[in-house]
């Protein structure tokens, strides 16, 4: 399976953010990226891994044990 390499603008659109956010992820080395000359390309699988790692799952409500009135 071949990975698509996305530009910073494409990643920003995919995440629904400005271009500043993916640039910050790259600058802080929080995601893998590839340099092609002066261009930065981010594999699509890396973005999916980032989304999966930062997805907050809902908490399952605990069942409350109701005490009966005596």
């Amino acid at each position: 399976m071949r990975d698509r390499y996305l530009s910073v603008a494409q990643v920003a659109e995919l995440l629904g953010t400005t271009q500043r956010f993916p640039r910050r992820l790259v600058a802080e080395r929080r995601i893998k990226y590839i340099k092609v000359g002066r261009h930065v390309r981010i594999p699509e699988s890396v973005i999916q891994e980032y989304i999966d790692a930062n997805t907050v799952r809902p908490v399952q409500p605990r069942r409350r044990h109701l005490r009966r009135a005596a």
Side-chain angles (χ1 to χ4, degrees), residues 40-52:
V40 172
R41 295 294 180 253
I42 304 165
E44 195 170 26
S45 63
V46 170
I47 298 304
Q48 190 57 52
E49 289 171 14
Y50 178 81
I51 291 170
D52 292 342

Side-chain angles (χ1 to χ4, degrees), residues 1-7 10-11 14 34 41-47:
M1 182 175 140
R2 289 194 98 136
D3 225 357
R4 283 183 39 202
Y5 295 102
L6 306 173
S7 67
Q10 290 171 318
V11 171
L14 182 67
I34 297 162
R41 295 294 180 253
I42 304 165
E44 195 170 26
S45 63
V46 170
I47 298 304

Side-chain angles (χ1 to χ4, degrees), residues 23-37:
R23 286 186 194 283
R24 194 175 81 219
L25 293 176
V26 167
E28 294 173 356
R29 305 284 198 267
R30 292 173 56 193
I31 60 172
K32 296 178 192 174
Y33 63 94
I34 297 162
K35 290 279 291 194
V36 181

